[in-house]
Amino acid sequence: MKLKQKAVSLISRTKTGKKMISSQYYRIMVSAMAAFVFNLFYALYHCVLGIINYSLWFISMGAFYGILAMMRFSAVLFDRKHRKSFSNDMDVFVMKFSGVLLIVLGIVLAVVNYISLSQDIATKYEKITMITIATYTFCKIVIAIVRAVKQRKHSSSLLRMIRNINYAEVSASILTLQRSMLVSFDSMDKRQVRFMNAMTGAAVCLFVLVLGLSMIAKKKKGS
């Protein structure tokens, strides 16, 4: 506990550190900015691999992470504009824009899943590596759930938008994890693996599409 208090005291000495400790909203925006940078570089990485290897799958993955980066960038940009001057029209536009991007994301995810199924693309890992990846993915799921519970009283459009982006990314991570686990542990035959991946892929794509449609529909009601 003393170590934690010392760390908090050290961080709070700076202006940014004080904001990080005192404001949950500021922590969310910093997290969104960091995730934007990660998604952007990951998108460029996959696009370069796709061009070098003439791989539609890598290019599709680049498009997927590129859309995630665009959505997070729009969230950060909206936050800056929102702090300067609130505009209901801007609020409606950003929500609709994000909803459309989520729908596009669901379609891209469906393309990625189709290519993975048709070409049997799934990364096989060693047991320890696979357990580590699974642990990391489950941590992402738990963090998403905890944030959803903590932020349930906040009706901010921006926070709702960031939550939906996180839900979409986590659901895609679950699909990727399943594909890797099924080929890494060899617990099913190829036919069963394809069926499981097809069903989970369809569910994830539908979930992302519903997220997008709900953002558009809810704003239409409130506009």
Side-chain angles (χ1 to χ4, degrees):
M1 186 61 71
K2 288 184 178 180
L3 188 63
K4 183 180 178 181
Q5 289 175 345
K6 285 181 180 179
V8 170
S9 177
L10 197 64
I11 293 170
S12 62
R13 289 178 185 177
T14 63
K15 188 177 179 180
T16 303
K18 284 181 181 178
K19 285 185 179 180
M20 286 288 289
I21 292 170
S22 62
S23 173
Q24 183 190 44
Y25 182 85
Y26 186 77
R27 290 196 298 271
I28 292 168
M29 293 313 304
V30 170
S31 176
M33 176 60 82
F36 156 69
V37 174
F38 174 79
N39 287 153
L40 180 62
F41 279 105
Y42 213 46
L44 292 172
Y45 168 73
H46 278 91
C47 285
V48 170
L49 286 179
I51 293 168
I52 292 172
N53 297 291
Y54 301 101
S55 171
L56 183 60
W57 185 80
F58 277 122
I59 292 173
S60 299
M61 288 300 295
F64 174 78
Y65 285 105
I67 293 169
L68 279 176
M70 192 185 302
M71 291 184 70
R72 285 192 162 112
F73 177 76
S74 65
V76 173
L77 186 64
F78 174 64
D79 173 62
R80 290 181 180 277
K81 295 286 185 182
H82 187 273
R83 279 185 288 178
K84 289 180 181 178
S85 60
F86 174 77
S87 169
N88 189 58
D89 289 339
M90 184 188 294
D91 191 40
V92 172
F93 170 76
V94 170
M95 287 297 287
K96 287 184 178 180
F97 178 67
S98 299
V100 170
L101 283 180
L102 274 171
I103 291 170
V104 174
L105 190 71
I107 295 169
V108 171
L109 195 56
V111 172
V112 171
N113 192 49
Y114 172 77
I115 295 171
S116 299
L117 289 170
S118 61
Q119 299 181 9
D120 289 325
I121 298 173
T123 307
K124 189 173 183 176
Y125 297 103
E126 295 294 330
K127 188 176 180 180
I128 295 176
T129 305
M130 193 67 256
I131 292 172
T132 304
I133 294 171
T135 303
Y136 172 71
T137 303
F138 286 128
C139 285
K140 284 174 69 175
I141 295 169
V142 171
I143 290 170
I145 293 171
V146 169
R147 283 179 177 173
V149 172
K150 284 184 176 180
Q151 297 167 18
R152 68 186 184 279
K153 294 180 181 179
H154 297 278
S155 58
S156 166
S157 298
L158 180 61
L159 292 182
R160 181 166 176 251
M161 179 175 137
I162 293 173
R163 283 199 300 269
N164 285 350
I165 295 169
N166 290 335
Y167 296 156
E169 186 175 19
V170 168
S171 62
S173 297
I174 293 170
L175 177 58
T176 303
L177 174 65
Q178 177 182 288
R179 284 203 301 261
S180 295
M181 286 184 73
L182 291 178
V183 297
S184 297
F185 294 126
D186 295 323
S187 56
M188 297 181 179
D189 58 41
K190 284 189 176 182
R191 188 177 176 181
Q192 290 174 317
V193 168
R194 283 175 63 84
F195 176 77
M196 285 289 294
N197 288 336
M199 290 299 100
T200 304
V204 168
C205 293
L206 182 61
F207 173 69
V208 175
L209 288 171
V210 169
L211 284 178
L213 290 170
S214 69
M215 289 178 78
I216 295 171
K218 190 157 187 177
K219 284 315 294 181
K220 281 182 178 179
K221 286 181 183 178
S223 58

